[in-house]
Amino acid sequence: MRRAPRHTPMARHRARAAAMLGAPLVPGVVAPVSRDAGAYRGQLSGYHPHRVTGTGLLSGRNERSVASLRSEDLVANDWAARSLVETMTLNAVGGVGLVPQSAIPADLLGLDEETAREVGNRFEAWWRVWCDEAGFIPGQTCADLQYMALRSVLVHGDMVHVPVMLDTARTGGAFALRIQTVHPERLRTPADLAADPYVRDGVELDELGRPAAGWIANPSPRLAAAPLGGDMAGSSADFRRIPYRVGHRVGLFHCFRPSGEEQFRGEPVITPALKLFRHLSDSLDYELIAQIITASFPLFIKTSDGRQAAEDYFAQLQGGMGPDNGQTGREPVYYQNYAPGQILYGNLNEEAKALVADRPGASWSGFVTFVVRAMGAVAGVPYEALLKDFSKTNYSSARAALLEAWRVYMLWRQWQSRAYCQPLFRMVAEEAWLRGYVTLPQGAPGFYEALPLWTAALWVGPGRGYIDPVKEADANIALIENGLATYGEVLGERGLSVEDVWSVRGYEDRLMHRLAPALAARIAARKAASASRTPAPADGAEPAPTDSDDTAPQGTPTEKEQDDAA
């Protein structure tokens, strides 16, 4: 009888391996390496961040409101915070604000370029008329509104402007549209809506979770003195609900740059560095006070028995005289303060000790510079642009700093043109068309039919300026001649438009030929002579030789050859 084969452990292992050949591996066998960032050990053992809730005393709304209040206080009282906000606002918006350049797409509207340009010019002209009367408060221009809007976003995190329509018969002017500026802290949640999940920090959401309306505190006289910090007293009857959109028009300008998802209110630009601003301000105050004390008190009275001197001093304050020391026959006099330069005589066993002015320390200047650099880095503004200090930089470093700052300024400028200026221009153009100030060409699409096309515009702000105008001009000429840039792009960096510059240049040329023909002839002759000296090479031809040693004409010895011959 034949015996069955024995199934040894090795045989069973081989059989199982053959059965699993080609099968996928079991996942998750090797445990991942532990990350210090997610563990509670070492120096991060006490690092327990928390998320704020929507309700309660320490809610996200209250934290945002407190941060806004602190930022407003720093910008009002601290030199570094004020310099940061003013620098960014001035360079992004400027003193004259952002100016529109109509960019009506003629091909999409079935128009020729000249007709589209004429319609755009009329919209631009009436925009300039409205800019002088734009503010709800008389005297506020559109440039003032733009400046306050961006400054409010930087200081508080968001801006709130309300478009209103006034009767032109009473107020005068060509337009009824006016813009009323509102402090952002008036955008709050009424007390009776605090538990409503669709109202977030003064912003009402629709059924899809999108911002639909804002609740603006509009208290009655009995609540006029109620503080805006903390919970606003009063119910929704003391507020005004303003929808964000009324049809195709803007009902409430509530603009901010979101930095995270599901965000309905903005945050001040200095929020991450707010502690640095505050501590640096206090540190500078303390150092200044120390210097004042050192300069005002050149002598210090040192006593051998400080406890007895203090008791005698308080006895004097209570109306009695200090005890006689038994040696001088007179009562001791204790000085608490004295004027600078005053000479004082101490009591027995007292000596004068001069104060040593050893503050600030040797590393104080470098420390302040580091802190200011860190504060500017939070907003993306270099140290040189923040403090207007280019004393320790060369041309390349200064230009790199200004270009880095210019990117930040352009970011805020483009954001403001999209979120605020373009909707304003569309509202002004609509009223100008409704009032008959601007007429559209016959056969073209209607105004409301192609509203985004008729009101398309580019926004130009103040120019960035040049460190070395000659080098910058040569670089721009090279870019234009090689087809890498346009005249509009180069002029736009200077805050100018092609139409304005060329129209003025054309007028000046005609005026010069009429009033100063000799000057015009000399300029033309100089241009012709310059063109004849440097002829443009033909396509595929070698460039003309220069005056350098390496490309000297044949038969003319170079300086090196002359030196060798000598």
Side-chain angles (χ1 to χ4, degrees), residues 328-372:
T328 61
R330 65 178 178 86
E331 303 210 358
V333 180
Y334 300 101
Y335 302 98
Q336 188 70 8
N337 51 64
Y338 56 90
Q342 185 177 0
I343 299 176
L344 303 175
Y345 298 92
N347 304 311
L348 186 65
N349 298 327
E350 295 179 350
E351 61 176 328
K353 182 178 180 181
L355 295 179
V356 180
D358 56 353
R359 301 184 65 175
S363 61
W364 170 250
S365 178
F367 171 74
V368 172
T369 301
F370 171 76
V371 174
V372 174

Side-chain angles (χ1 to χ4, degrees), residues 10-29:
M10 181 60 67
R12 289 194 300 270
H13 174 73
R14 291 177 178 176
R16 186 167 59 252
M20 297 181 61
L21 185 64
L25 297 175
V26 178
V29 176

Side-chain angles (χ1 to χ4, degrees), residues 275-499:
K275 291 192 299 183
L276 293 178
F277 281 96
R278 177 63 181 178
H279 294 335
L280 179 62
S281 177
D282 292 342
S283 180
L284 290 176
D285 287 342
Y286 299 153
E287 289 295 338
L288 289 176
I289 292 174
Q291 292 293 331
I292 294 174
I293 293 175
T294 303
S296 301
F297 294 84
L299 296 178
F300 177 74
I301 304 300
K302 180 181 179 182
T303 63
S304 59
D305 188 357
R307 178 179 298 179
Q308 182 61 39
E311 294 177 356
D312 295 344
Y313 172 73
F314 287 114
Q316 285 184 352
L317 293 181
Q318 295 175 359
M321 299 299 294
D324 190 349
N325 55 21
Q327 300 183 26
T328 61
R330 65 178 178 86
E331 303 210 358
V333 180
Y334 300 101
Y335 302 98
Q336 188 70 8
N337 51 64
Y338 56 90
Q342 185 177 0
I343 299 176
L344 303 175
Y345 298 92
N347 304 311
L348 186 65
N349 298 327
E350 295 179 350
E351 61 176 328
K353 182 178 180 181
L355 295 179
V356 180
D358 56 353
R359 301 184 65 175
S363 61
W364 170 250
S365 178
F367 171 74
V368 172
T369 301
F370 171 76
V371 174
V372 174
R373 288 184 184 275
M375 294 187 303
V378 171
V381 179
Y383 167 83
E384 293 80 5
L386 177 60
L387 294 188
K388 315 295 189 301
D389 181 15
F390 297 91
S391 60
K392 300 179 182 180
T393 58
N394 52 23
Y395 171 79
S396 300
S397 300
R399 190 173 188 275
L402 289 181
L403 288 178
E404 189 67 25
W406 187 251
R407 294 188 183 96
V408 179
Y409 304 150
M410 289 300 297
L411 170 68
W412 286 102
R413 176 183 299 180
Q414 294 168 0
W415 170 82
Q416 177 148 332
S417 63
R418 295 191 306 267
Y420 185 63
C421 296
Q422 182 61 32
L424 273 182
F425 181 72
R426 184 169 298 176
M427 298 170 72
V428 174
E430 178 185 12
E431 186 173 354
W433 176 75
L434 291 175
R435 291 181 177 274
Y437 300 152
V438 179
T439 58
L440 303 182
Q442 294 183 355
F447 183 81
Y448 290 111
E449 182 181 354
L451 178 61
L453 302 181
W454 288 116
T455 57
L458 302 176
W459 293 88
V460 179
R464 62 182 175 90
Y466 296 137
I467 301 176
D468 191 334
V470 176
K471 293 182 179 180
E472 300 283 353
D474 292 341
N476 290 333
I477 292 173
L479 291 175
I480 293 176
E481 290 181 348
N482 290 279
L484 301 177
T486 63
Y487 287 101
E489 181 181 357
V490 173
L491 292 174
E493 292 181 352
R494 297 172 54 192
L496 303 172
S497 64
V498 175
E499 292 84 356

